[in-house]
Amino acid sequence: MTIRDAAVEAYREALPALVASLVGGLIAGVVLTGMRAELREVPGLLVLVPALLATRGNVYGSLGARIATALHQGLIEPRVTAGDRRLRAAAAAALGNGLLASAFAAVAAFLVLTVLGAQVAPVGVLVAIAVLAGLLSGVVLVAVVVSVVFAGYRRGHNPDTLVGPIVTTTGDVFGVLFLLVAVRTVLAVVEVL
């Protein structure tokens, strides 16, 4: 196989995922545009959005890379089984890291905005929104990453070319969607209390 053949194959495998990523990014933008009222109601939330979306890509991109490496090394089989402790441990670690990173991002946004003298929602509200959105999107991202990596591997595709665009797309779309759900849920709970 020549370098040109390898490049053509990589682009052929990755192009559908990149197109899906483009469409998913546009959908996430439309959902974010529809969140104007929530963004006004929770000062500081807009500052938190890029951090939360980047967290999804970083954490679950690493999960996809770990799974792809384990598949290439023959450490796991390309199917979901309840007894696969390596897969369970990787998924649990990714979900835990995602929740910790979300909480950290919320606290950091609160502190930075407070130091700058900007109006900001209470730290508890920001953390609750970030963690709830992180939990909901994390569960979906674990399922999508595992499914896509395994399906691609079984079909003879290199999972490494699929993980990046798929995680980006899924993380953006579900990240923004579940951020909206989390904001509405947390605000409803705060209103009741």
Side-chain angles (χ1 to χ4, degrees):
M1 176 180 273
T2 66
I3 292 174
R4 182 181 185 280
D5 293 337
V8 167
E9 183 178 335
Y11 279 109
R12 185 181 48 77
E13 286 180 5
L15 190 60
L18 291 172
V19 170
S21 181
L22 172 73
V23 172
L26 292 172
I27 291 169
V30 169
V31 173
L32 188 59
T33 300
M35 289 180 59
R36 287 185 185 136
E38 287 81 6
L39 292 171
R40 277 196 282 300
E41 197 166 343
V42 182
L45 184 60
L46 187 57
V47 172
L48 195 54
V49 170
L52 293 179
L53 294 182
T55 297
R56 308 293 178 259
N58 292 333
V59 169
Y60 297 99
S62 292
L63 172 65
R66 269 190 224 108
I67 294 171
T69 299
L71 285 169
H72 290 309
Q73 293 177 340
L75 298 174
I76 61 173
E77 293 295 320
R79 62 181 177 276
V80 177
T81 59
D84 194 339
R85 67 175 178 77
R86 284 189 174 109
L87 184 59
R88 282 194 330 260
L95 194 55
N97 288 337
L99 293 175
L100 285 173
S102 296
F104 178 80
V107 171
F110 175 81
L111 292 174
V112 168
L113 290 171
T114 300
V115 167
L116 293 174
Q119 184 182 8
V120 62
V123 69
V125 170
L126 288 178
V127 169
I129 290 169
V131 169
L132 181 57
L135 177 65
L136 295 172
S137 60
V139 169
V140 170
L141 279 164
V142 165
V144 168
V145 167
V146 170
S147 300
V148 166
V149 169
F150 284 177
Y153 185 82
R154 282 194 305 264
R155 289 188 174 95
H157 297 292
N158 181 357
D160 292 318
T161 60
L162 302 174
V163 167
I166 295 301
V167 168
T168 300
T169 303
T170 309
D172 287 351
V173 172
F174 286 102
V176 171
L177 177 66
F178 287 131
L179 183 63
L180 177 61
V181 169
V183 169
R184 290 184 177 175
T185 303
V186 169
L187 289 178
V189 168
V190 167
E191 198 173 289
V192 168
L193 298 176

